[in-house]
Each structure stands twice: as structure tokens, then as C-alpha cells.
Amino acid sequence: MPAERQTPDDWFAARGWQPFAFQREVWAAVAAGRSGLLHATTGAGKTYAVWLGALAAFGAEAAPHTVLWITPMRALAADTTRALADAAAALAPDWRLGARTGDTASAERARLDRKPPQALVTTPESLTLMLTRADARAQLGRVRMVVVDEWHELMGSKRGVQVQLALARLRQWNPALVVWGLSATLGNLATARAALLGAENAGVLVQGALPKQLLIDTLIPPSMERFPWGGHLGTRMLEPVVAEIDAAATSLVFTNTRSQAELWYQALLAARPDWAGLLALHHGSLDKEIRDWVELGLKEGRLKAVVCTSSLDLGVDFLPVERVLQIGSAKGVARLLQRAGRSGHAPGRPSRVTLVPTQALELVEAAAARQAALARQVEPREPPTKPFDVLVQHLVSMALGGGFTPDAMYAEVHSAYSFRALTRAEFDWALGFVEGGGLSLAAYPEYHRIARDEAGVFRVPSVAIARRHRMSVGTIVSDAMMSVSWLSGGRIGSIEERFLAYLKPGDCFVFAGRVLELVRVQAMTAYVRKATKTRGVVPQWGGSKMPLSSELAGASLQMLARAHAGDFAEPEIAALRPLLELQERWSALPTPDRLVCETFRSREGHHFLCYPFAGRMVHIGLGSLLAWRAARDRPGSFSISMNDYGFELLSAEPVDWRGLIDAGLFSPAGLMDDVLASLNASELARRRFREIARIAGLVFTGYPGAPHSARQVQASAGLFYEVFRQHDAANLLLVQADSEALEQELELGRLRAALDRMSALPLLLAAPPRPTPFAFALMVERLRESLSTEKLHDRVARMLRELEAAAGPASPA
DNA sequence: GACCTGCTGCGGCCTG
């Protein structure tokens, strides 16, 4: 006898819960066959809203693969499946659930293939792989509904584009496909919905507005006199952090970088040896087994604190965390809200995050972050525009997955939001590129990846190409990493080749919270043993830079404006008052209504400082641009340094900055040409091309267990870059590399906005007697890039003058 | 009166 089917109302009643209004709204929409985006800041309510709707709408029809549930992390798949199964047991007892990700065991895969479950939890990559099967349509042609969890995480990246394209395919097969996205902490919901639902599908937008109490406070340094003006490590705050951890049952301590996590872990253990075994470390370069152990420890409440990076941003929904500490700037409001949400993760419990500044100006940022977070000024995420590398990969995938005809495929791709402006000519270029390798690769059969059969359908003609393609599906590109393993066996994690290149056998380094001695390096693996020493170098991984978001930068300027107006009500600003007043006395505080620049002289030379608060990427661009413009007519040499608040140009010779500014130094006119001339834009584009070549399937990174080294991958990507530049300059992958370099590395749009603002605002050009507090932060960041238009003999002449000056009678400092 | 930067995410082969 079949089990009784419950309704969503029954299900809630059985638990003694009252459904929220937004939950009803969602399941009614699903029942009506409508798609949509559900945005809310708490997790469980969202999952049940969509899932109960799906079960109520489709539960009676027990067809295989009725619902696909996409999660961006494999680690979430098991928990999600369990949660879904619980509700399915009540509403659709005859449904089976399954999970399929890269680490699904082969026996389970076979079982899933033989007898597909009604609902499958999977990742974007695994879904694409399913779509590359010859029988994809038979398997997935009748999918009724797709739910994309954590859509805000995916939508701004090429992974999100991959999801868009997979959905476009499923929609082609089933035009009535219902698609739902679940999102949190996002500033541009309308775009999120459009990107998920395709260019033409409007769908509903549901706000799951649960009032969530949010507490953001700051650990004020005990002694501001001794608190650093620059730096980012923050170990000066060790004692207060120890006290906070001590007072709570469990804490997460977020840091911005993996090396910072390693250092803080060491420092905390040194301060509290009795916490050995209660304190853990978690970041993306540690082996999965270690991370699993840490996550389990948190779940079971065995751990007092975990020092981590964004590796624990997602996926700890069910973990009992009492306190969240954020060391250093969170850089963005969305990230801060995300991390705050790691604590008090239950309806009715407040989320709390405590900010730990690492240097003086971060106190301003902390107060600003609180204001912006409470006002929910959350950063938008923009879907990529026409990423040709993803398109090229997709065409091969679809040729594998049953094949396609050009007209139909153009229409399908065009229906995806990121390709809504794709022209037929661009599509035909991509098609020609995968068919014949384009202008420069025509002679190489391995780049003739698809071919038209007698019926005019494009397919992949070679088994070898098919295999290689399936092994390279996806858009996540990471640098070649070396495994770190015990000499006695067992993997600890991974580390950059570049870092290990500096070490020789016998050297010690700190990793995974221990001091390790390098024994030997062999086949992309570094073999280590426990070191007898207690100190070692801490590896640095070459992650990408995280600039301060516009939202947070703007809020910081607002906060400074309040201080300028004499408002020191925020505790962080009160603590910083002496320093801010010093800045005001010697120079001025930057505010939204004025631009502050400073010039002064030191033994190092002539300094020019400017504080646009546009984030470090833009400041790199601004610094190089202004240095180039200032030096255009007159050879000179500038050293550039920058941080998130401003930049500094240092020159040996005095410069008439006022005159240059009056003559249009900040003018946005001719920006593009000047940027291209002032920066090594082609080097940036070449770097971007490495990723593009990998995604487009030009570069193979090796078989699992036998990865190619970074040098190999780099060399072959570089080769393609050169060949295309010379013989195929109109190659759209090159065009993409250029535009990615400009938009993502240089943030050209933000750079232009900064120049517009700088040239419109009243300028306050101060000549302080000494480096101001704002200047100091920049001076200790000293020198990443230098730009020299100076001829060699000029430099020699200058050095001679300096020597003479130094040899002469000492002048008072 | 100053040193400590740089995240995350997935997938996959061949062994007569």
C-alpha cells in the first residue's frame, strides 16, 4: 500500500512550525510552473521553500531525473541530499534521491546510471559531464525543474556561465523547465534573476525577508599609541583575540590569506599551549582529509576555534559556531555579511562578527563596514560578457552530447544571458575555431575537435579528443600546485611550485600548522618529515588580489567626512581620534566631497600622495597612469606604491604637481591610450590568456596523478598566445584576453569613474611637514612596481649628485 | 614610529 502523501502544510504542521509567507509564495509559484529567484539571508528556510514546492508539484509523477539540484561545492552535496530526503519521505515517499559529484564512488555512479533517482544533487561540472554523453537527451530531456543553490556565488563567474549554458540546453529539450535560484548577500537581484532564467524569461523574485539581528563590533586596540600605522598581519591584537576565543564555546577566526592563517594558528598556540588539540586550521591548500576532520570536529563541538580563510565561508550551515572573528579588512560588505552569518545560524538567533583591525586605518574601515552592512549596501556581482573560452568548450561538450546543428545551437547559446549580445559572426567564428582550429592551428588534427556528419550534425569524431575534453570540463583554473606529502606516506596538502623552488632539502617551512623539513622533491610532490626545529618560513600562495569594494570604500569616505565634521561617535573613530586629528592638522581628511593630495620631501626624495579610496587595483592603474603622464614630456623616474586608500609617487627630482594637475593630469580624456601606453597591458593579457587557453581546451594540464608542471602549462599557453598574435590577430580568444585584462585586472570602469571624480572634486593639495598617518601606511607598503622613463646616464648623474651631497657637511634632518 | 599579505570553487585517464 502506497504511503500517504503529505502537503507542504502537513509537513510544517507535523513539525509544529509555521511556514513563512515567502515559503508559501515560492511553493505556489512552483506549483504554477513559474521560475524564479529566492533571495534570503538564512539557509534552511530557502531550501525547504523550493524543495517542498517541487515535491508538491511533481511528487506524484515519479520519473527519473525530475529535479536536478545544483550545488557549487561537493562538500554540500551529502548534507543537502540528506535534508532533501527528509522532506521527500513525507511528500513523495516513492522518490529516490542521489548525489553525483567528482568524488562519487564508481559503484555508486554505476547505480545512478542504471537507475536514475527522481532527484539528483550535483555540481555544475558534473552536470556538464552528464550533458556530454551521447544519450544525454534520453537521460536529461525530461528534467522538470532545476534548483541552483548559492547562485550568488556562481553568477559572477565563468562557472555561472557554464550553468547558464547547461540550463539553455535543458530548456531546449523541455521549454516548460522550471528553474529556481537560491541566493544570499547580493546587491543586484534583477540581474541575478535574468542571468539564471535566460534573456527572455522574467520569472518571479521572492524576498525571504526574515528579520535577522546583526551585530558587528570591533576589538579596539588596548593601546593606540603602540598600534601600527601600516601592516596587515595583526598579531599585535593577539591578546584580545585570545580573550575572545576563551570566552566563547566555539569560534571561527577568518583571515584573508592562507599564510596569515598559518601564522595566526602558530601565534595562538604559542600563546595558549593548553589549546593544543582544541585549535584547528582550515584553508584551501590543506588536504581534503585534514579539512574533513576539522569540519567534523566543528560539527561535533570538539573544537574551540578554527583559524580559516574563505574556505569556511560556505558549507558550515549546520555547524554550531558561537563567535566569528575577522582579522583584517573583510574588503567587502557581502563577504562580511556572509561571515557574520556563520554564527547564530538558526532562526531568531543574532549573527555576530567581531572585526579585528591590523592597523590604524582599518578602524575607519571597520566602522564603515558596520554602517554599510546595517544599511545592506551589498556589492553587485556581474555575470561575464561573452566569454568565448566557455563558448568554445561548450560547443565541444554539446557535440559530444548528441551533436547539434549550427542554427539551433546559435539560438540556444544566444538565449543564455551572458551571450545575449553574441552575434552570428562571433558564433560562427567559435564554431569554425573548434571545427578547424582557426587560422593558425588548421594543420593540427587535434584542434579539429568537431566535424559535420552526413546529416549536417556536428559531432566529435575522435575518441581521444572526447576523452581529453571530458577530462578538462569546467572553468576553474588554478596554478600547478605541488603536493606536500609525508616521507612515510599520506598527503598533507599542496603548495606552489614557485615557493618550493626557493627551498633546498633540509630547509624548514610552516605548513598545516606544523614545522616541516623538506626531504626531496620528485614528480610534482614535495616529501617532508617533521622538523626538529621550531621555526620555518611560512609559504605564500599566489592568490589573486582582493581590492576594497566600491561600497566599502565609499562608506569609509563617509566615515571620514563624519570625523571631519567633528562626529566621533563610533567607537572605532573615537579610538582613532588623535590620529585623525593629526592628519587633519598636517594635511586634511579625504571625504566624498574633496580630493586630498600631499607633497613633501624626505631623504628618499620627493613624495606625491593621493587618496581617492578606489581600491588597490585602481590605484595601481592611477599611479602608473599619472607617473606616465607626468613623465611624458620630461624624463623622470617614479617609484609607485599603493594600498586600498591611495597611492604614492616618489621621484628623485621635484615635480610641479599643481601645474600638472591644472594642465589636466587627472583628465579622463585619452584614458584608454594612456593606460595601454603606461602599463604593460600585453603582459597582463598574456597572463589572462593562460586561463582562457585552458578553458578553451587548447592546453591540457595532464592526467590525474600526473599533472603537468606550471612551467609546461605556461610555456604552451604562451606559445599559443604568440602564434595567435602573429598569425591570427582577430582570434576572439585574444580579444577576450585583452578585455579581461582591462576589466578585471585593471578595473578600467572603476578607474575611469575615479578619474571623473578626481577631476570634478575640489583639490586640497597639502604640503605637510612630515609624512602624515595616511602617507605612512603607503610608505610602509613600499614599492611593488616601478616605472622608469629615465635614461641611464641621468640616473648615474643623479647617483653621483647624491654621493656628493652625502659626502658634504651633514645637514640637520 | 613601524615588515611581514593576497581567497574559493571541480573534474578527469591509461595499464596485456
Side-chain angles (χ1 to χ4, degrees):
Chain A
M1 178 167 156
E4 193 76 16
R5 277 181 204 287
Q6 289 186 4
T7 64
D9 280 307
D10 300 335
W11 188 84
F12 274 103
R15 276 153 188 78
W17 295 350
Q18 198 57 245
F20 299 114
F22 80 82
Q23 292 176 314
R24 286 187 179 287
E25 196 182 334
V26 168
W27 82 61
V30 174
R34 303 202 62 191
S35 297
L37 177 72
L38 170 57
H39 173 257
T41 43
T42 39
K46 273 187 299 193
T47 303
Y48 287 129
V50 180
W51 180 235
L52 292 175
L55 292 173
F58 311 116
E61 301 150 61
H65 286 160
T66 296
V67 177
L68 298 182
W69 189 284
I70 314 290
T71 165
M73 281 175 69
R74 317 180 266 237
L76 291 175
D79 279 342
T80 304
T81 311
R82 216 166 299 128
L84 300 186
D86 174 51
L91 270 77
D94 37 1
W95 275 36
R96 281 170 302 107
L97 274 86
R100 178 188 202 106
T101 67
D103 44 30
T104 301
S106 57
E108 173 66 3
R109 282 166 188 249
R111 210 180 59 84
L112 290 169
D113 287 344
R114 223 173 25 246
K115 216 175 163 203
Q118 279 68 31
L120 182 72
V121 177
T122 187
T123 60
E125 289 77 11
S126 287
L127 172 57
T128 299
L129 282 166
M130 290 170 74
L131 288 171
T132 65
R133 296 172 174 192
D135 65 345
R137 181 163 195 167
Q139 289 292 325
L140 298 168
R142 285 186 303 278
V143 172
R144 305 280 297 272
M145 182 177 183
V146 180
V147 182
V148 186
D149 203 359
E150 314 272 8
W151 175 236
H152 61 289
E153 279 296 319
L154 291 168
M155 68 172 280
S157 69
K158 291 179 184 175
R159 279 187 100 192
V161 179
Q162 192 185 345
V163 172
Q164 290 180 37
L165 289 169
L167 290 173
R169 165 113 297 201
L170 293 175
R171 246 181 233 119
Q172 216 61 37
W173 290 333
N174 175 14
L177 184 76
V178 177
V179 176
W180 277 81
L182 308 181
S183 86
T185 50
L186 185 64
N188 51 342
L189 292 173
T191 305
R193 179 182 57 181
L196 183 72
L197 304 186
E200 283 148 34
N201 190 340
V204 286
L205 181 58
V206 178
Q207 287 273 7
L210 284 182
K212 183 78 173 170
Q213 207 195 335
L214 177 64
L215 300 171
I216 300 174
D217 53 11
T218 302
L219 285 190
I220 307 283
S223 137
M224 278 307 290
E225 291 75 44
R226 295 190 47 239
F227 196 57
W229 289 9
H232 300 274
L233 192 55
T235 39
R236 194 68 70 90
M237 295 296 284
L238 185 62
E239 283 310 314
V241 168
V242 166
E244 294 295 315
I245 294 174
D246 210 7
T250 45
S251 306
L252 286 182
V253 181
F254 281 101
T255 63
N256 283 337
T257 70
R258 287 165 279 190
S259 54
Q260 197 179 18
E262 295 272 355
L263 284 160
W264 265 88
Y265 177 78
Q266 295 280 323
L268 287 170
L269 267 187
R272 288 294 296 267
D274 56 313
W275 283 349
L278 299 175
L279 204 60
L281 178 65
H282 193 283
H283 61 69
S285 288
L286 297 178
D287 192 63
K288 185 174 180 318
E289 217 167 283
I290 298 177
R291 294 171 55 164
D292 287 349
W293 180 85
V294 174
E295 285 162 34
L296 192 68
L298 266 177
K299 233 178 243 188
E300 293 174 348
R302 274 189 282 113
L303 294 172
K304 180 123 188 93
V306 177
V307 184
C308 60
T309 59
S310 359
S311 54
L312 282 182
D313 265 0
L314 295 176
V316 282
D317 283 6
F318 311 103
L319 305 185
V321 174
E322 190 183 324
R323 297 280 278 117
V324 171
L325 296 146
Q326 163 71 40
I327 314 271
S329 163
K331 303 282 185 194
V333 181
R335 190 175 294 111
L336 186 63
L337 288 171
Q338 182 75 34
R339 290 180 179 176
R342 297 300 96 197
S343 74
H345 204 280
R349 297 245 314 270
S351 288
R352 178 176 173 198
V353 58
T354 299
L355 304 172
V356 183
T358 61
Q359 48 121 316
L361 288 183
E362 277 187 356
L363 282 161
V364 176
E365 229 185 278
R370 179 173 54 246
Q371 296 294 311
L374 293 176
R376 296 293 191 275
Q377 289 163 4
V378 183
E379 292 82 11
R381 307 205 197 213
E382 297 302 334
T385 305
K386 290 196 279 196
F388 290 104
D389 51 351
V390 183
L391 175 59
V392 160
Q393 185 186 101
H394 183 69
L395 290 177
V396 182
S397 293
M398 294 304 101
L400 279 168
F404 64 83
T405 55
D407 289 354
M409 185 49 69
Y410 174 63
E412 183 181 316
V413 169
H414 193 265
S415 75
Y417 182 85
S418 284
F419 293 104
R420 65 198 184 285
L422 183 78
T423 65
R424 181 62 196 242
E426 288 167 333
F427 175 81
D428 287 339
W429 177 86
L431 193 62
F433 186 72
V434 277
E435 187 186 10
L439 281 181
S440 44
L441 302 176
Y444 303 93
E446 68 257 49
Y447 297 109
H448 297 215
R449 288 181 277 172
I450 64 174
R452 218 185 279 250
D453 68 9
E454 320 77 53
V457 177
F458 277 104
R459 300 181 191 282
V460 173
S462 136
V463 193
I465 289 173
R467 190 175 62 217
R468 201 173 111 156
H469 182 80
R470 289 205 178 91
M471 288 180 59
S472 318
V473 158
T475 62
I476 299 176
V477 177
S478 29
D479 270 346
M481 290 277 190
M482 249 181 202
S483 279
V484 180
S485 295
W486 294 113
L487 200 54
S488 51
R491 190 168 173 276
I492 312 169
S494 56
I495 222 163
E496 284 203 343
E497 256 182 312
R498 200 168 3 132
F499 171 74
L500 276 166
Y502 293 116
L503 300 184
K504 55 185 188 311
D507 284 352
C508 295
F509 62 101
V510 178
F511 182 57
R514 336 160 173 247
V515 187
L516 305 173
E517 180 192 327
L518 180 65
V519 182
R520 64 186 149 87
V521 175
Q522 189 186 324
M524 292 296 280
T525 303
Y527 292 94
V528 299
R529 62 174 159 233
K530 212 169 166 208
T532 44
K533 290 190 201 154
T534 53
R535 292 183 70 87
V537 265
V538 179
Q540 283 161 18
W541 289 264
S544 57
K545 329 269 188 245
M546 294 179 280
L548 192 66
S549 77
S550 301
E551 283 69 15
L552 199 43
S556 299
L557 278 175
Q558 296 280 359
M559 200 49 72
L560 291 174
R562 280 174 58 184
H564 173 60
D567 173 359
F568 294 90
E570 305 295 334
E572 297 88 349
I573 304 299
L576 206 52
R577 182 170 186 161
L579 184 139
L580 294 178
E581 285 176 342
L582 183 67
Q583 174 73 27
E584 194 91 282
R585 195 159 62 244
W586 282 355
S587 165
L589 286 173
T591 75
D593 307 314
R594 66 186 189 190
L595 178 69
V596 172
C597 295
E598 298 168 351
T599 58
F600 64 90
R601 215 195 142 162
S602 77
R603 270 216 314 253
E604 289 182 284
H606 299 265
H607 303 255
F608 172 76
L609 299 108
C610 182
Y611 309 105
F613 276 69
R616 59 166 300 125
M617 307 299 277
V618 169
H619 293 149
I620 295 174
L622 278 175
S624 315
L625 177 71
L626 300 192
W628 184 82
R629 283 183 175 177
R632 190 161 28 183
D633 311 318
R634 208 170 20 82
S637 173
F638 291 102
S639 299
I640 306 170
S641 79
M642 79 296 293
N643 61 18
D644 276 323
Y645 311 130
F647 60 92
E648 177 207 42
L649 298 179
L650 172 65
S651 58
E653 305 291 341
V655 177
D656 172 20
W657 291 103
R658 168 67 73 180
L660 285 169
I661 291 168
D662 289 344
L665 184 69
F666 297 157
S667 165
L671 171 64
M672 191 70 185
D673 290 341
D674 288 358
V675 162
L676 291 177
S678 65
L679 281 152
N680 198 345
S682 69
E683 182 49 38
L684 291 179
R686 175 195 294 272
R687 217 180 302 156
R688 292 304 306 184
F689 191 75
R690 288 219 285 269
E691 174 183 316
I692 291 169
R694 224 292 276 136
I695 295 173
L698 297 173
V699 173
F700 186 55
T701 51
Y703 288 104
H708 291 173
S709 74
R711 194 177 304 157
Q712 279 171 294
V713 173
Q714 229 175 79
S716 44
L719 207 59
F720 280 110
Y721 185 80
E722 289 308 326
V723 168
F724 290 165
R725 275 271 178 251
Q726 280 176 34
H727 305 290
D728 189 9
N731 190 309
L732 290 177
L733 297 175
L734 284 183
V735 177
Q736 188 190 339
D738 287 343
S739 72
E740 280 187 16
L742 286 178
E743 288 307 326
Q744 288 164 39
E745 312 256 327
L746 288 174
E747 297 194 281
L748 192 66
R750 225 174 138 186
L751 178 60
R752 185 172 287 123
L755 276 179
D756 283 340
R757 187 172 160 268
M758 286 163 70
S759 43
L761 284 183
L763 169 72
L764 218 153
L765 181 58
R770 309 177 44 189
T772 62
F774 276 57
F776 217 100
L778 272 165
M779 292 170 71
V780 299
E781 301 261 344
R782 167 77 48 223
L783 204 61
R784 309 275 151 84
E785 267 180 59
S786 72
L787 182 103
S788 176
T789 54
E790 189 187 48
K791 293 192 197 73
L792 182 65
H793 70 262
D794 289 347
R795 174 160 287 215
V796 173
R798 193 185 82 218
M799 286 163 69
L800 279 174
R801 277 202 305 281
E802 281 170 355
L803 261 179
E804 282 158 14
S811 55

